[in-house]
Amino acid sequence: MELAIKVDVDTEQGTRIGVPQLLTLFAELNISATFLFSLGPDNTGRAIKRIFRPGFLSKIRRTKVMSNYGIKTLLYGVLIPGPNIAKKNAAIMRLTHALDHEVGIHCYDHIRWQDHVHSMSATEVQKEFEKSLNSFENVFGFPAKTAGAAGWQANTFSFAAYDKARFLYASDTRGYRPFYPRIGDTVFKTLQVPSTLPTLDEVLGLPGNELKNLTDFYLSQLQPQQANILTIHAELEGMNYLSWFREFLLAVQARNISIVKTAKIAENALKSEKDIPICGVIQASVPGRSGKLAVQEN
């Protein structure tokens, strides 16, 4: 059995504090993971506009957003100018790659992509995505080969941008196995490796899901003979929930489950390309998360 760990890095604080703490933990446990970076301004404070979405306030209460993100981060882009994440933290990003972790794109501006990508034109989506491509190459000195969209927000225009970039794979969806995405009559060329497991902020605080029970919960969700992809966040598992995450990883290793980069799941799938299904991608709700996400159809 294999478990891929994909780290979404949403904020400047998560990059500056959460990523180094995860790097230390992964070095201790001899784990290689996938880090997807936000590469432009941190405008986290603008997420306040989601307050009217069903489930948004309950998620804030369950996941203790104020204590996890801090007041300064929650003011970025509103009362405080959002810092450019890549410019301030390029050394940390390069260190991540130097330590043999996979690196890729999460977004340029997290809030702009997550909240507005579906109202953008094809040209606007391409321009926004090119900002992240250029910023990534400025930091690392080589082109990105993967991305995972902010908030699992993807559509025809973003999939077309990935095809143009000739990515090895992408991870923008929630689902159950690697697939080629189809929207309408268009089948896209970039393999999707979906997140198959719920995220910590989707399950934490729900009845029966107190933190002490979550290691057993996640272990029960892992499936043999199937790709298991867990998305974590540098701002959560890399910070306030780091101790729990260490306990979980030790429990995984104790069961001889291999922890791998997401690219390994993609590469294994591509070896048997004729067996990769073509699946529709729809906008659907996911338990524990507000709004709708890109979801793999059965």
Side-chain angles (χ1 to χ4, degrees), residues 80-293:
I80 303 174
N84 186 290
I85 299 170
K87 288 182 179 178
K88 288 193 66 175
N89 299 283
I92 291 171
M93 295 179 178
R94 286 192 286 265
L95 175 63
T96 303
H97 177 252
L99 292 174
D100 197 35
H101 298 288
E102 181 185 15
V103 291
I105 292 170
H106 192 34
C107 58
Y108 186 71
D109 181 330
H110 196 287
I111 301 300
R112 175 167 165 73
W113 189 278
Q114 183 169 352
D115 291 355
H116 302 292
V117 70
H118 294 297
S119 63
M120 295 182 194
S121 68
T123 299
E124 289 171 329
V125 170
Q126 183 64 39
K127 286 183 176 179
E128 183 72 11
F129 184 60
E130 284 177 357
K131 289 179 184 178
S132 61
L133 288 172
N134 292 336
S135 182
F136 183 95
E137 192 156 359
N138 286 339
V139 170
F140 293 103
F142 56 85
K145 289 298 181 184
T146 189
W152 294 275
Q153 297 300 309
N155 58 26
T156 298
F157 301 149
S158 66
F159 287 155
Y162 289 177
D163 283 359
K164 184 177 179 180
R166 297 185 178 182
F167 278 172
L168 174 68
Y169 77 97
S171 185
D172 305 287
T173 55
R174 306 297 288 267
Y176 53 93
R177 63 169 294 183
F179 68 102
Y180 286 116
R182 182 188 67 243
I183 298 180
D185 295 329
T186 304
V187 176
F188 297 91
K189 299 176 183 178
T190 304
L191 181 73
Q192 275 288 321
V193 179
S195 298
T196 64
L197 297 163
T199 62
L200 181 64
D201 56 337
E202 290 166 0
V203 298
L204 184 64
L206 294 176
N209 282 346
E210 292 78 15
L211 191 62
K212 65 181 180 179
N213 300 327
L214 286 184
T215 292
D216 288 340
F217 167 79
Y218 274 110
L219 290 173
S220 73
Q221 299 298 302
L222 299 179
Q223 300 294 320
Q225 311 302 320
Q226 181 177 313
N228 295 284
I229 297 94
L230 174 64
T231 295
I232 71 166
H233 288 87
E235 295 77 13
L236 296 177
E237 288 92 337
M239 295 176 63
N240 285 357
Y241 298 99
L242 184 67
S243 294
W244 170 80
F245 188 51
R246 182 179 185 276
E247 171 194 309
F248 166 68
L249 293 176
L250 287 170
V252 170
Q253 291 183 325
R255 286 158 177 77
N256 294 318
I257 299 168
S258 298
I259 301 174
V260 300
K261 304 172 187 176
T262 317
K264 187 172 188 293
I265 303 293
E267 289 163 356
N268 287 343
L270 289 167
K271 289 176 183 176
S272 302
E273 188 165 1
K274 61 181 175 58
D275 297 325
I276 298 173
I278 296 170
C279 299
V281 174
I282 59 172
Q283 293 294 305
S285 299
V286 169
R289 188 164 293 278
S290 64
K292 292 186 175 181
L293 319 181

Side-chain angles (χ1 to χ4, degrees), residues 66-79:
M66 187 68 74
S67 62
N68 287 328
Y69 286 81
I71 186 64
K72 187 175 182 180
T73 294
L74 295 176
L75 293 177
Y76 281 153
V78 181
L79 297 179

Side-chain angles (χ1 to χ4, degrees), residues 3-124:
L3 171 65
I5 301 290
K6 177 172 77 75
V7 185
D8 283 357
V9 189
D10 295 353
T11 65
E12 192 279 331
Q13 178 180 245
T15 313
R16 175 172 42 86
I17 300 175
V19 170
Q21 294 189 156
L22 286 170
L23 294 178
T24 299
L25 174 61
F26 290 155
E28 174 195 347
L29 301 182
N30 194 29
I31 289 170
S32 292
T34 297
F35 285 77
L36 302 182
F37 289 104
S38 300
L39 296 152
D42 182 348
N43 288 318
T44 300
R46 297 179 185 174
I48 192 63
K49 291 181 290 185
R50 300 175 195 159
I51 196 168
F52 298 109
R53 288 184 185 176
F56 184 69
L57 286 177
S58 63
K59 180 189 170 189
I60 285 177
R61 288 192 293 268
R62 284 191 296 103
T63 57
K64 302 177 182 177
V65 165
M66 187 68 74
S67 62
N68 287 328
Y69 286 81
I71 186 64
K72 187 175 182 180
T73 294
L74 295 176
L75 293 177
Y76 281 153
V78 181
L79 297 179
I80 303 174
N84 186 290
I85 299 170
K87 288 182 179 178
K88 288 193 66 175
N89 299 283
I92 291 171
M93 295 179 178
R94 286 192 286 265
L95 175 63
T96 303
H97 177 252
L99 292 174
D100 197 35
H101 298 288
E102 181 185 15
V103 291
I105 292 170
H106 192 34
C107 58
Y108 186 71
D109 181 330
H110 196 287
I111 301 300
R112 175 167 165 73
W113 189 278
Q114 183 169 352
D115 291 355
H116 302 292
V117 70
H118 294 297
S119 63
M120 295 182 194
S121 68
T123 299
E124 289 171 329

